[in-house]
Amino acid sequence: MPAAPRFDLPEADDFTRPFWDAAAEGRLLIRRCRACAKAHHYPREFCPYCWGEDVEWERASGRATLYTWSVVHRNDLPPFGERVPYTAAVVDLAEGPRMMTEIVECPQAELRIGMELEVTFRADATGAADAAEGDGVAVPVFRPADQGQSNSLTQESSSRR
């Protein structure tokens, strides 16, 4: 019987592979335009500010502040239903761009707009045999900045709150 489809794993392509490979190593990458010097995220082959095509990957600091969030209590897509409630969020990266993510290791009652966060990574815990099925995939999520060492890889089950 085929495995149930997963809706939480990225579909990396040749362009985004550096982002996902870095995430699997515990590093967060963003793109920066060499023409106007502005950083942006999600990864694009051009600058969304000046439309320049001279953009490069850059390691982000992993620091962010909470811009907004919503607690999800119901989600029928696998495996999100097993994670509810979880906190979907938008964060402002220290480098400037906003990023959609999840807040982990923080009780919902302690969430505050502007709170300082640090990146951590949810490693896929499926035990899949190859990258196309999730092996080596890590997704950046954020936690309060005082929760531990920045940029660590965590197993999916230990990141849930």
Side-chain angles (χ1 to χ4, degrees):
M1 177 136 179
R6 296 275 307 259
F7 295 93
D8 63 330
L9 299 177
E11 292 184 24
D13 57 24
D14 289 340
F15 175 69
T16 61
R17 185 150 324 277
F19 178 85
W20 298 113
D21 288 349
E25 296 170 359
R27 297 178 293 120
L28 178 64
L29 296 183
I30 58 173
R31 301 281 283 172
R32 185 171 301 274
C33 178
R34 289 183 179 176
C36 71
K38 290 188 178 180
H40 62 272
H41 184 80
Y42 66 91
R44 287 165 272 204
E45 296 185 51
F46 63 90
C47 175
Y49 300 102
C50 74
W51 301 99
E53 295 180 3
D54 190 10
V55 292
E56 62 187 348
W57 292 105
E58 172 182 297
R59 184 174 184 167
S61 67
R63 293 177 292 116
T65 57
L66 185 58
Y67 176 74
T68 190
W69 76 91
S70 179
V71 178
V72 178
H73 293 276
R74 182 178 174 132
N75 189 331
D76 295 330
L77 295 175
F80 296 107
E82 300 166 5
R83 296 182 187 160
V84 294
Y86 62 89
T87 305
V90 177
V91 299
D92 287 324
L93 299 176
E95 293 77 10
R98 284 197 173 137
M99 178 178 179
M100 293 184 68
T101 188
E102 181 182 349
I103 305 298
V104 298
E105 301 176 26
C106 184
Q108 297 163 11
E110 294 179 19
L111 294 168
R112 299 288 180 264
I113 296 220
M115 73 184 294
E116 293 186 19
L117 304 167
E118 65 184 6
V119 73
T120 187
F121 295 84
R122 174 182 290 122
D124 177 53
T126 63
D130 62 53
E133 295 181 59
D135 186 49
V137 174
V139 177
V141 295
F142 285 79
R143 64 183 174 200
D146 60 355
Q147 292 294 308
Q149 185 177 355
S150 184
N151 299 335
S152 66
L153 281 171
T154 59
Q155 287 295 319
E156 183 173 278
S157 59
S158 66
S159 308
R160 287 188 228 144
R161 188 92 165 138

